[in-house]
Amino acid sequence: MRLQAGFQRFEMVPRTVWYLPCAEKLRIHSYIEVLKLIAVNMVMAQRNPKPRDVEYDAFINMHHRCFNPKHKQYKDYGERGIWVCAEWVDNFDQFLTDVGRKPDPSLTLDRIDNSKGYEPGNVRWASRQTQSRNIRSNRWITAFGETKLLCEWAEEYGITSQLIRNRATMGWPIEDAIARPIQKSSRWKHYNIDGYNMTCHGHANRLGLSSPGLSYRMAKHGMSMEEAIADAQRAKK
């Protein structure tokens, strides 16, 4: 069985003590014990077959993220001190009672407060869009007299959150970083700079710069041709 085999591989990991901060202060001597309890339940489920619940899959994955150092997301959960409350450890029925069935197949398990663990009142079924607004890397930004999430500013102005971050890192005023439209470079478009009316390629040759580099700066960072040239010249020094 998949989980049971996984449990056997994990037995060589040194034992640790887990304290789950909850009302009952349940003490789990190691994440291995948690996986073992889940594995036993899966053995019983095989003896009494029934349709597999998508909610149960989410329940299992929740435990792995918090207790299994081999899991790819453990560093963002268990390593950060994110835990599963005592009421839900090896108790799928209680988890289901508190969280409820998934109302839509596209929804996934989400923690409302990312600084807290999986516990009643802090877990919900949420869409990918809702979860993208609830990640640690997101941030509140005040501009134009309003305060919104970075992703909300990006959606409103039709650009990416990463572009706003890049511009802000480069020292752009925050309102320019948000509202400046992306400059689309054209192979044949002419730019009048310093009295020279040339294409991007022509200006690059004249100044000893990379034409793709100038185009990239305009397309990726929303720079004007003048800004792209100035930035390329600074980088060349």
Side-chain angles (χ1 to χ4, degrees), residues 14-237:
R15 293 170 64 83
T16 56
V17 176
W18 294 86
Y19 292 93
L20 306 183
C22 62
E24 298 178 16
K25 299 292 182 185
L26 178 65
R27 182 174 177 175
I28 301 296
H29 289 288
S30 75
Y31 75 92
I32 295 176
E33 295 181 21
V34 177
L35 296 182
K36 187 174 183 179
L37 290 169
I38 296 171
V40 169
N41 279 349
M42 291 190 71
V43 171
M44 297 304 295
Q46 280 194 342
R47 293 175 183 170
N48 302 282
K50 63 179 181 180
R52 188 179 180 94
D53 293 319
V54 291
E55 293 84 3
Y56 189 68
D57 286 338
F59 175 77
I60 293 292
N61 288 331
M62 172 182 71
H63 281 75
H64 272 295
R65 287 193 292 270
C66 294
F67 296 115
N68 178 9
K70 300 277 187 178
H71 193 278
K72 64 182 180 181
Q73 290 182 300
Y74 176 77
K75 63 181 176 63
D76 296 320
Y77 290 83
E79 196 171 285
R80 286 181 51 227
I82 302 302
W83 30 259
V84 177
C85 72
E87 295 93 333
W88 292 353
V89 173
D90 189 41
N91 194 338
F92 174 64
D93 290 336
Q94 186 60 51
F95 167 81
L96 196 58
T97 298
D98 292 334
V99 180
R101 293 283 179 185
K102 185 188 291 194
D104 185 273
S106 65
L107 305 183
T108 56
L109 205 59
D110 178 50
R111 286 173 297 118
I112 298 169
D113 185 342
N114 272 316
S115 65
K116 296 181 179 179
Y118 290 96
E119 61 182 2
N122 195 46
V123 175
R124 63 185 173 185
W125 298 109
S127 66
R128 294 291 183 187
Q129 184 179 30
T130 298
Q131 292 196 44
S132 70
R133 298 172 187 271
N134 193 31
I135 57 177
R136 284 180 294 147
S137 59
N138 221 333
R139 49 183 284 204
W140 293 94
I141 292 178
T142 300
F144 309 108
E146 296 181 84
T147 300
K148 299 180 183 180
L149 284 169
L150 172 63
C151 61
E152 291 175 325
W153 285 118
E155 288 173 8
E156 182 175 337
Y157 283 88
I159 58 178
T160 66
S161 298
Q162 189 58 51
L163 176 57
I164 297 176
R165 287 195 193 95
N166 290 345
R167 288 171 166 180
T169 300
M170 294 167 63
W172 286 39
I174 192 61
E175 294 184 353
D176 284 348
I178 292 170
R180 178 85 71 88
I182 296 175
Q183 300 288 326
K184 293 185 178 180
S185 175
S186 169
R187 182 177 180 183
W188 307 114
K189 182 177 179 178
H190 282 62
Y191 304 87
N192 195 339
I193 298 173
D194 298 331
Y196 296 92
N197 190 28
M198 298 179 169
T199 63
C200 177
H201 184 71
H203 284 297
N205 284 343
R206 175 175 68 86
L207 298 169
L209 301 173
S210 163
S211 177
L214 296 181
S215 297
Y216 176 85
R217 285 172 168 83
M218 288 190 288
K220 191 70 175 178
H221 299 300
M223 294 180 177
S224 64
M225 174 58 78
E226 292 88 342
E227 291 169 330
I229 289 173
D231 188 65
Q233 288 175 330
R234 282 195 299 271
K236 191 177 179 181
K237 291 180 181 177

